[in-house]
Amino acid sequence: MIALLEQVNFWHWIAFGLVLLLLELLGTAGYLLWLGLSALLVGVILSVVPMSWSLQWLTFAVFSLFSTWLWWRYQHQKDRVDDQARTLNQRTEQMIGQTCVLDQPLPVSQGRIRLGDTSWLAKTDKPLEAGTLVEVVAVEGITLVVQAKQ
């Protein structure tokens, strides 16, 4: 067994890396991507610098752990920023920027508008006629603040 391990060439690592990358294409959600790239990197290094089999595996382990850790840090930071901007389960916040045409006049106080498949409480600072294109500019509680779109 040890005799076989001592005969590991650079192309073995290249082939191992390519197999891991092909398996990644089957949908392992990134788990094999960094292992495959690490194996390819060990193969490239081994083609230039001779190493014992134990040093090859140690190099592979270090590259795998380091690249996976770097990706985790990058993704964790990106997810944290995305979560702060997300309006999940805040339907009224998702309405900001939406437009609709009024099907009935909207007085200065409160009225109702139809946006999508729902009727919403809405208010405006100027009376708006039916047929006016309006945009949701803010939300106050469950009331949409709208203004005429230019």
Side-chain angles (χ1 to χ4, degrees), residues 81-100:
V81 170
D82 288 347
D83 284 345
Q84 291 171 353
R86 189 167 291 142
T87 57
L88 186 63
N89 293 332
Q90 298 175 4
R91 189 169 182 205
T92 54
E93 295 294 325
Q94 295 172 353
M95 294 294 138
I96 295 176
Q98 298 287 324
T99 59
C100 70

Side-chain angles (χ1 to χ4, degrees), residues 19-71:
V19 166
L20 287 171
L21 291 176
L22 285 174
L23 290 173
E24 173 63 33
L25 292 176
L26 295 176
T28 61
Y31 293 115
L32 297 179
L33 175 66
W34 304 111
L35 298 177
L37 292 176
S38 297
L40 290 174
L41 188 57
V42 171
V44 168
I45 291 172
L46 187 59
S47 70
V48 178
V49 178
M51 292 188 285
S52 68
W53 67 270
S54 57
L55 186 58
Q56 292 173 34
W57 281 102
L58 180 65
T59 305
F60 172 69
V62 168
F63 286 156
S64 296
L65 289 172
F66 186 68
S67 61
T68 304
W69 177 75
L70 282 178
W71 177 252

